[in-house]
Amino acid sequence: METLKFEQDEDVKCLLSSLESGDPSTGPSTFILKAPPGCLIPWHFHTAEEQLIVVRGVVVTEMQGEAATQLRSGGYAMMPGGTPHQFACKGKVPCLMHVIFDRKYDIVWGKGH
């Protein structure tokens, strides 16, 4: 972890990310995300399926049409491609997460398709 270079997200200023593996411009990829308490990644969706694994902290995830779910260390969520979702770091400690995409990365902000 100490050797990873985290970059500030262009759209969500409280979010830092580091590419762990793959090439998001051409295919599957895995990112490590850091977020301070209170950081909200607002409604969005991807063409790719997204898998989220919480390493540290409390992350609240929500998919359109589903109740919000609170995840802690080891918690897992899967968001199918095209499904609007959002997540936030809650609690008192910064959140650390792995996010895996099964194909080329893209993002569309908002709930609509």
Side-chain angles (χ1 to χ4, degrees):
M1 287 292 289
E2 295 79 29
T3 62
L4 294 175
K5 292 184 180 182
F6 285 88
E7 297 179 6
Q8 185 178 38
D9 187 87
E10 293 178 17
D11 297 310
V12 181
K13 300 300 183 196
C14 59
L15 185 65
L16 299 175
S17 67
S18 179
L19 180 63
E20 184 175 33
S21 67
D23 183 346
S25 67
T26 61
S29 59
T30 301
F31 289 87
I32 298 176
L33 305 180
K34 286 183 180 182
C39 181
L40 170 67
I41 295 76
W43 289 103
H44 65 281
F45 64 90
H46 313 276
T47 302
E49 172 184 285
E50 178 180 359
Q51 297 180 57
L52 168 72
I53 302 166
V54 178
V55 177
R56 179 182 65 226
V58 177
V59 177
V60 175
T61 64
E62 187 176 0
M63 283 192 293
Q64 188 172 23
E66 301 287 332
T69 301
Q70 189 176 88
L71 303 172
R72 296 181 181 276
S73 181
Y76 171 84
M78 190 278 293
M79 288 69 70
T83 303
H85 57 279
Q86 68 176 356
F87 58 97
C89 180
K90 301 288 186 174
K92 297 180 182 180
V93 300
C95 295
L96 185 66
M97 303 156 270
H98 288 275
V99 178
I100 302 120
F101 296 97
D102 72 343
R103 65 191 83 162
K104 181 179 175 179
Y105 174 83
D106 64 357
I107 190 163
V108 178
W109 293 104
K111 281 190 179 186
H113 289 271

